[in-house]
Amino acid sequence: MSRRPARADDAQPTADAAGPVGPAWRILTVPNLISFVRLLGVPLFLYLFLVAGADVAAVVVLAVGGMSDWVDGYVARRLRQVSRLGELLDPIADRLYILATLVALTVRDVVPWQFTIALLARDVVMTANLAVLRWYGYRPPPVHYLGKTATFVLLAAFPVLLLAATVPGAATVAGAIGWGLALWGLGLYWLAGGLYLGQTRRLVRASRSARAEVG
């Protein structure tokens, strides 16, 4: 059974059984460093793909960034270094990778603008959803496994689509695989968004009921 998102006034833990809890410990962790490196990969990919024209190197950067999506979370759990900063950095890195890749691939005519709009529209809806949660005093909900799966599939699809566009001999096979992953990821992305919207709706109803009882 999933737990509700923490409210803004909820108490935060003050100790970690695995080690120190000072600010430096919470920031300078292995998973956080991995997330920082992933963030640096975003402008590097854009430079290689849109400025330098180094398509092969761009494919490598994109593939490494996509494959490392699960690494920081795995390392955080393995080393017991889960932190609030890490919980924020991971989805930020995911969103930036998806946004940067979509813009770059659309500019280079690798993906059609209709696909880009379909993906970005979901993020617009989720931004509005987060604003509603904030209004009622809730923090962003924990990332659902379906949302993580959708992100992983999309980040796997993009380098394959780029490979299909830059290596003529791989166009047929890589294109079929890439678009299969991309459309699957798009469907999961919206399905996860629907789950978040449903969760927000329940929280808003509960909050209104509580306020009505108090009033």
Side-chain angles (χ1 to χ4, degrees):
M1 181 176 180
S2 60
R3 298 176 60 186
R4 67 168 179 82
R7 293 185 64 91
D9 56 353
D10 283 347
Q12 296 298 307
T14 57
D16 188 337
V21 294
W25 171 258
R26 289 196 295 268
I27 295 175
L28 299 178
T29 63
V30 174
N32 286 353
L33 291 176
I34 294 174
S35 295
F36 281 126
V37 172
R38 290 186 67 216
L39 288 171
L40 293 176
V42 174
L44 177 60
F45 163 74
L46 291 175
Y47 171 77
L48 292 172
F49 190 56
L50 297 179
V51 179
D55 292 348
V56 175
V59 170
V60 173
V61 171
L62 193 58
V64 171
M67 288 186 297
S68 64
D69 175 44
W70 65 273
V71 174
D72 49 3
Y74 173 80
V75 171
R77 293 187 297 271
R78 187 73 175 179
L79 300 181
R80 300 184 67 186
Q81 292 182 346
V82 176
S83 66
R84 181 59 181 165
L85 177 61
E87 292 175 349
L88 293 173
L89 282 177
D90 187 41
I92 288 174
D94 291 343
R95 297 286 81 74
L96 286 178
Y97 258 102
I98 290 176
L99 177 61
T101 305
L102 275 176
V103 171
L105 296 185
T106 304
V107 169
R108 288 280 299 270
D109 294 323
V110 176
V111 299
W113 59 267
Q114 293 93 335
F115 180 83
T116 301
I117 291 177
L119 263 180
L120 295 182
R122 188 267 194 186
D123 283 340
V124 171
V125 171
M126 289 299 98
T127 299
N129 185 61
L130 289 177
V132 172
L133 284 173
R134 289 291 187 184
W135 177 263
Y136 283 92
Y138 290 97
R139 289 177 178 168
V143 178
H144 195 276
Y145 77 91
L146 191 60
K148 288 296 295 181
T149 301
T151 299
F152 179 80
V153 172
L154 287 171
L155 292 177
F158 292 148
V160 179
L161 289 175
L162 183 53
L163 180 66
T166 56
V167 181
T172 301
V173 176
I177 295 174
W179 277 113
L181 290 171
L183 294 176
W184 180 31
L186 177 62
L188 292 176
Y189 207 50
W190 272 102
L191 182 58
L195 293 178
Y196 291 132
L197 290 174
Q199 187 178 26
T200 297
R201 183 180 181 182
R202 290 191 295 271
L203 290 171
V204 169
R205 283 184 173 179
S207 181
R208 287 178 174 174
S209 298
R211 291 179 181 180
E213 291 176 1
V214 172

